Amino acid sequence: MLYSKTAKYAVLALAEVTRDGSDRPVPTKQIARAASIPYPLLAKIVGKLRMAGLIRAARGKAGGILLARPAGQMTILDVVLALDGETILNDCPLYLEPCDCERVCSLHPMWGPPRDAMLHFLKSTTIQAVADARAQADGGKAKRRDR
């Protein structure tokens, strides 16, 4: 169960919104720049996150995105499911088809424990934790946009 690069970009984008710390919408161009996400791709990601109910989007000069719920209540799994769908949970490293655990492949006994560990990580790691880790990596500096 490895998730897409698009889902990784989505996690980074939400972490940047969290790091902004504002109650106003964060401009998407600012998010793209801060998270090194190609802007056209971010526009597509924003649409999927909005459809999944993870963000609210505002248009216009003061537009941008806001989290639909607190970052501490949103997990990486929420984001991965919004971008990659539920079939990602049944991704098998050996077969191209999703694993339904009824047709056991030769790697199933070895793949089960790391798959379960990855699923636990995705379920237990919040967007707030990602934002905090990114801030710590930047020397503890919270990013604030120019007002």
Side-chain angles (χ1 to χ4, degrees):
M1 167 191 6
L2 302 174
Y3 51 94
S4 70
K5 190 172 185 177
T6 304
K8 291 175 189 180
Y9 278 140
V11 169
L12 293 174
L14 294 177
E16 289 304 320
V17 173
T18 301
R19 289 182 65 189
D20 181 81
S22 175
D23 58 349
R24 297 184 310 180
V26 181
T28 51
K29 287 192 179 194
Q30 175 186 322
I31 296 165
R33 186 173 42 255
S36 300
I37 302 170
Y39 184 76
L41 178 58
L42 181 59
K44 291 178 183 178
I45 289 169
V46 165
K48 288 185 176 188
L49 293 174
R50 189 179 56 71
M51 294 289 289
L54 297 177
I55 62 167
R56 295 186 316 249
R59 295 179 186 250
K61 185 176 180 182
I65 64 172
L66 289 165
L67 299 182
R69 62 180 191 252
Q73 296 175 13
M74 190 180 305
T75 66
I76 294 177
L77 182 61
D78 295 328
V79 179
V80 169
L81 291 175
L83 274 289
D84 294 341
E86 290 190 25
T87 57
I88 196 75
L89 300 178
N90 297 320
D91 193 24
C92 175
L94 190 59
Y95 290 125
L96 295 176
E97 296 295 318
C99 176
D100 58 11
C101 294
E102 290 180 19
R103 179 194 69 205
V104 178
C105 74
S106 58
L107 289 183
H108 194 83
M110 293 179 283
W111 174 236
R115 178 197 174 277
D116 293 345
M118 175 67 98
L119 188 57
H120 174 74
F121 170 78
L122 297 175
K123 284 181 179 178
S124 64
T125 306
T126 65
I127 297 301
Q128 184 66 59
V130 175
D132 292 346
R134 286 180 59 82
Q136 188 174 27
D138 289 343
K141 300 175 195 166
K143 287 189 175 182
R144 299 280 182 196
R145 65 181 141 150
D146 297 332
R147 301 198 193 262

